[in-house]
Amino acid sequence: KAGVTQTPRYLIKTRGQQVTLSCSPISGHRSVSWYQQTPGQGLQFLFEYFSETQRNKGNFPGRFSGRQFSNSRSEMNVSTLELGDSALYLCASSNRDRDYEQYFGPGTRLTVT
Amino acid sequence: AQTVTQSQPEMSVQEAETVTLSCTYDTSESDYYLFWYKQPPSRQMILVIRQEAYKQQNATENRFSVNFQKAAKSFSLKISDSQLGDAAMYFCAFKIIGTYKYIFGTGTRLKVLA
């Protein structure tokens, strides 16, 4: 079974631009969560999508948004990028019936200059 | 507020020795899962071990074991017979049962010395 995939793996953007990151979950997994990982802050929960609906949201500004498609693939969008948005963005998928098992993708490394 | 604290930003251990990584958490809930995740350099995060809060018995997975003290809200990870491949960032996390939000600590970088 293929694992969680994320594209692109690396991205460099300029302050003020917007960016879209993509995540394809493990086949059969309908829950996708997004995290921001920065040194010293660890992983911070952004949001979780299930059945195309955002079910949970972390404490991030409205510039961070996402969506999920009918095939469970998810995208995360960050508008008006700031230097502090530079981070590793991880997505994780799970089967809600076994929600204690979360599988992570390799992440997208976003650098904002 | 629900928080996870990993007070050791970095630890070192000699190959074949034992090391313990500390984690404390704070929640008013009684039903939750606790996790240790491993993130090797430039590689994907993987689950090392999971503990259900209602279980008194400490979880064990081969060379990895936990010391779960629910009253103290402490969840440490012991790695026995450390190997070079154990070098990674280790994250402690918990999740309230019935919710889908994981709370992570800031991580402990483990170095294994040959």
Side-chain angles (χ1 to χ4, degrees), chain B residues 14-106:
Chain B
Q14 206 70 34
E15 199 176 4
E17 296 295 309
T18 296
V19 64
T20 298
L21 308 184
S22 301
C23 172
T24 58
Y25 60 94
D26 189 25
T27 180
S28 57
E29 301 289 334
S30 58
D31 295 327
Y32 48 87
Y33 296 109
L34 291 157
F35 310 86
W36 278 98
Y37 281 89
K38 171 185 177 181
Q39 187 180 43
S42 302
R43 293 180 62 186
Q44 282 172 244
M45 184 102 66
I46 58 173
L47 177 66
V48 174
I49 199 164
R50 179 182 68 240
Q51 172 84 40
E52 291 85 349
Y54 63 85
K55 288 187 177 178
Q56 292 188 329
Q57 186 172 3
N58 289 324
T60 299
E61 287 287 342
N62 301 314
R63 298 181 296 107
F64 299 87
S65 62
V66 299
N67 183 2
F68 173 45
Q69 303 288 329
K70 191 171 184 179
K73 296 181 181 174
S74 171
F75 184 61
S76 61
L77 175 70
K78 185 172 82 170
I79 306 174
S80 304
D81 185 25
S82 296
Q83 300 175 358
L84 294 177
D86 294 333
M89 279 291 285
Y90 286 82
F91 291 95
C92 176
F94 82 91
K95 187 184 87 67
I96 307 300
I97 292 176
T99 72
Y100 301 93
K101 178 179 175 179
Y102 285 67
I103 308 296
F104 281 80
T106 52

Side-chain angles (χ1 to χ4, degrees), chain A residues 36-106:
Chain A
Q36 181 193 67
Q37 182 181 358
T38 54
Q41 293 290 317
L43 276 75
Q44 293 186 285
F45 175 80
L46 281 155
F47 29 65
E48 185 238 356
Y49 282 86
F50 177 74
S51 291
E52 303 176 61
T53 302
Q54 187 181 93
R55 305 287 179 159
N56 293 273
K57 191 176 190 307
N59 297 321
F60 278 82
R63 301 185 297 106
F64 291 81
S65 63
R67 59 178 176 169
Q68 187 179 35
F69 302 93
S70 58
N71 61 358
S72 295
R73 187 177 71 85
S74 177
E75 288 183 347
M76 191 193 93
N77 185 76
V78 188
S79 62
T80 320
L81 284 166
E82 300 178 359
L83 295 179
D85 297 333
S86 294
L88 180 67
Y89 289 88
L90 295 170
C91 97
S93 77
S94 65
N95 181 332
R96 265 204 169 193
D97 291 339
R98 294 173 65 83
D99 65 323
Y100 48 82
E101 291 182 346
Q102 184 174 226
Y103 297 86
F104 284 85

